Amino acid sequence: MDRRGAEADDRRVSPDHRNEPAGLEHARAQDRADPLARFRDEFHIPRRVDGREEVYLCGHSLGLMPKRVETYVLEELAIWKRRGVRGHFEPPRPWMPYHELLTEPSASLVGAEAHEVAVMGSLTANLHLMMGSFYRPTAERHKVLIEDRAFPSDRYAVESQIRFHGLEPASSLLVARPRTGEICLRREDLAETIEREGDAIALVLLPGVQYYTGEVLDLDEITRLGHARGCVVGFDLAHAAGNLPLALHDSGCDFACWCSYKYLNGGPGAVGGLFVHERHARRTDLPRLAGWWGHDKTTRFEMGPEFRAIPGAEGWQQSNPPILSLAAVRAALEVFGEAGGMAPLREKSKRLTGFLESLLRRELPEHIEVLTPSEPARRGCQLSLRIKTTDGRGLYERITAAGITCDWREPDVMRVALVPLYNRFEDAHRFVEALKASF
Ligand SMILES: *Cc1c(COP(=O)(O)O)cnc(C)c1O
C-alpha cells in the first residue's frame, strides 16, 4: 500500500482508539502499509487467559505454529492410519524420499545448492556428525576455535570431541573473547586470533548469529581468513537460518548446521538442517559416522554390507527421518516461499528492529541498554536488552503477566525478537508500553 493509502486508512481508525498514544497510531499505520502483514494470519498467535493475543517476542527460541502445519501433519497421520507400511512407497508423498521435498526450499533459504543440503537429525547431533568428518586433529593442528559465550550444547559437543581424540580442552580449545568491558566480538579481534593461531587451528566453529547478544558474524570473512590459514570452517546457524539471508555456497564454508524450531517455525524439537559444501560431496577420504539412510538410494534396500555414500549432504544421513516432524517443517518452509524468501523478510525485519530500538531509546533511555550492535548489518531480528533495575526478574514477571512473551537470562538480560512473518510494529509499541509500566 502506498503512503496515501495508509493515510486514508488512518482516518478510518475507530473512535475507541482516538485516545491511545500517537505512537500506537504510527505503529498501526506502518502495519497497514506492510506488504507482508497478511502473513501473520498464517500463524496461530498464542492468547492470554482473557482471550487477547499475546505480544509474542520469542521467535528466537520457538517460532510460532503455521496454521497449515496441522493439516500437513494430519495428512501423514491419516496415511499411516489407513495404509501402514505402504505409506513409505505410495503417492502422493511417499515417506521414503519425503525429506527430498524439503531440500530445495531449505537450500534456497540458506543460499546453497540442493545437493549441499539435507534436512535431517538435530542440531547438536549434526554438529557431532560434522566434527566426526571434519575435525581431524594432528599433533601440530589440533585446536578448535569457538567463542566465549558459545551456546552450552556447542561447547559440550566441541569439548567432548576434543576428548574423544585423546586431547584436552585446556590445550586444544581456543576461545575468542570480547574485549574487557565489551559484550560483542570484534571482527578485527577474531581476524587477529585466526591470523595468530591459524597454524594450530584444525576447526573454526562459530555462530552465524550469537544467541546471547544477537550479534551477526561475518561468515564470508571468517571463512576466507580460516581457509587462508588452512583451517576447516563450520558454522552453527541456529539463530541465523530464517533470520538472515545467507549465501553458504558462495561463502565457501565447509559445513553448517541449524535447527528448524527457532526462526524457521518447524515446531518443538523439529528436524534440523545440514550443509556440506560441494567440494566435499564426493570425497571418499573423509571418515564418516555412517548409517543406512546415507547409503546409495538405488541399492539401499539390497541391504548389502558395504556402505556407499550418496554424494553430497545426504550422504551424512543416518536414520530414516521422522515424517511427522518433516511434515511440519515442510509446511513452515512453504510459508517462507510464499512470502518471497529472505530478501523481503529481511527488509521488514530491519525496519521492525529499528523501530523497536528507536522506541526504547526514546522512551527508556535510562533503564535499558541495547547490547546488540546498532548497525543493521550486524544484527538480525533479536535485540538483547540489559535491564537496569535491581528487580529484573520481577520486571520480567510483570511484563509476562501483562501478555508479553520474551525470555530472560540471568542476571539482567531480556532477549526479544520481532519476527517479520508474524510480528507487527504494534507489537514493538505494546512491548515498550508494558516495559514502561513495569519499572
Ligand atoms: C538452540 C541452539 C542449540 C540447541 O541444540 P539442539 O541440539 O537443537 O537441542 C544449540 N546451539 C545453538 C547455538 C543454539 O542456538
Side-chain angles (χ1 to χ4, degrees):
M1 187 187 294
D2 63 21
R3 283 264 314 279
R4 237 171 334 127
E7 280 158 22
D9 251 25
D10 267 349
R11 288 192 294 273
R12 274 187 259 122
V13 165
S14 74
D16 313 351
H17 297 131
R18 288 268 160 79
N19 293 332
E20 282 176 326
L24 180 57
E25 259 329 298
H26 175 61
R28 286 185 174 155
Q30 298 201 64
D31 286 324
R32 283 191 296 272
D34 168 19
L36 294 173
R38 69 186 173 91
F39 284 95
R40 180 176 170 86
D41 200 39
E42 292 286 336
F43 291 84
H44 289 290
I45 311 293
R47 289 180 184 272
R48 320 176 336 165
V49 278
D50 66 5
R52 287 179 58 191
E53 284 178 347
E54 282 177 18
V55 173
Y56 191 84
L57 304 178
C58 235
H60 54 74
S61 207
L62 182 69
L64 288 182
M65 177 178 164
K67 288 178 181 167
R68 71 184 75 180
V69 161
E70 197 165 346
T71 314
Y72 283 36
V73 172
L74 287 175
E75 280 171 3
E76 301 314 319
L77 280 175
I79 290 172
W80 180 24
K81 184 154 98 185
R82 299 205 190 95
R83 306 189 204 165
V85 72
R86 284 186 284 120
H88 283 299
F89 319 106
E90 291 184 354
R93 292 173 306 276
W95 297 329
M96 193 110 71
Y98 192 97
H99 65 276
E100 294 170 15
L101 299 172
L102 291 83
T103 307
E104 185 55 56
S106 301
S108 87
L109 280 186
V110 299
E113 302 292 328
H115 63 277
E116 293 175 312
V117 168
V119 177
M120 58 176 274
S122 60
L123 175 52
T124 307
N126 287 344
L127 283 172
H128 273 299
L129 275 181
M130 289 292 94
M131 285 190 275
S133 289
F134 292 105
Y135 175 49
R136 311 296 308 148
T138 62
E140 303 78 41
R141 192 187 280 283
H142 57 94
K143 295 189 184 183
V144 184
L145 173 63
I146 63 168
E147 40 100 18
D148 192 33
R149 258 183 221 283
F151 196 91
S153 197
D154 298 42
R155 194 178 184 118
Y156 305 153
V158 167
E159 291 199 359
S160 64
Q161 285 280 337
I162 288 171
R163 292 204 170 86
F164 204 76
H165 287 279
L167 301 167
E168 279 305 319
S171 45
S172 293
L173 188 69
L174 180 61
V175 180
R177 294 194 164 78
R179 295 189 186 178
T180 313
E182 298 186 5
I183 190 145
C184 291
L185 293 161
R186 293 200 189 195
R187 60 193 289 183
E188 64 268 30
D189 292 354
L190 265 181
E192 193 273 327
T193 305
I194 296 172
E195 189 53 41
R196 176 168 38 83
E197 297 267 0
D199 291 345
I201 298 174
L203 171 64
V204 174
L205 185 58
L206 291 169
V209 178
Q210 213 290 337
Y211 86 96
Y212 186 80
T213 64
E215 178 186 15
V216 170
L217 299 188
D218 187 333
L219 307 191
D220 292 0
E221 180 174 83
I222 291 166
T223 304
R224 191 168 43 73
L225 294 167
H227 283 174
R229 301 310 309 274
C231 321
V232 173
V233 179
F235 292 108
D236 183 327
L237 302 177
H239 286 261
N243 178 359
L244 301 171
L246 295 164
L248 293 184
H249 176 83
D250 291 342
S251 89
C253 67
D254 296 286
F255 69 85
C257 304
W258 58 94
C259 52
S260 306
Y261 48 82
K262 291 170 180 167
Y263 295 104
L264 291 179
N265 313 315
V271 187
L274 183 71
F275 165 88
V276 181
H277 197 276
E278 74 177 2
R279 81 174 77 87
H280 304 301
R282 292 176 184 279
R283 281 180 65 180
T284 48
D285 60 315
L286 287 174
R288 172 183 331 233
L289 298 163
W292 74 319
W293 228 251
H295 181 88
D296 174 27
K297 289 173 204 179
T298 58
T299 57
R300 182 186 289 149
F301 287 92
E302 291 170 14
M303 310 302 255
E306 196 183 317
F307 177 75
R308 273 218 317 275
I310 304 169
E314 277 190 85
W316 273 268
Q317 294 175 123
Q318 293 179 319
S319 297
N320 80 98
I323 298 299
L324 300 182
S325 177
L326 285 180
V329 177
R330 184 167 75 91
L333 292 173
E334 234 179 56
V335 180
F336 277 85
E338 285 169 21
M342 287 314 300
L345 290 167
R346 174 67 169 152
E347 274 319 297
K348 176 177 172 187
S349 166
K350 282 187 192 160
R351 292 179 51 231
L352 270 175
T353 308
F355 180 63
L356 172 58
E357 187 184 30
S358 68
L359 284 180
L360 289 166
R361 289 200 198 285
R362 195 179 71 208
E363 304 290 331
L364 292 155
E366 245 93 271
H367 293 93
I368 286 187
E369 178 193 352
V370 180
L371 302 176
T372 310
S374 249
E375 305 95 291
R378 289 186 64 211
R379 68 184 185 197
C381 294
Q382 177 184 322
L383 289 184
S384 301
L385 312 176
R386 173 163 287 146
I387 309 293
K388 298 191 215 165
T389 163
T390 48
D391 179 30
R393 180 94 216 170
L395 177 131
Y396 169 70
E397 279 158 16
R398 287 191 291 283
I399 67 161
T400 303
I404 311 286
T405 300
C406 59
D407 89 1
W408 180 253
R409 299 272 154 169
E410 295 294 345
D412 57 1
V413 172
M414 188 178 279
R415 299 184 309 159
V416 296
L418 286 161
V419 173
L421 273 174
Y422 50 77
N423 281 122
R424 302 170 299 188
F425 290 86
E426 179 172 340
D427 293 333
H429 186 273
R430 289 201 179 283
F431 168 61
V432 174
E433 289 300 306
L435 271 181
K436 275 161 63 183
S438 302
F439 268 99

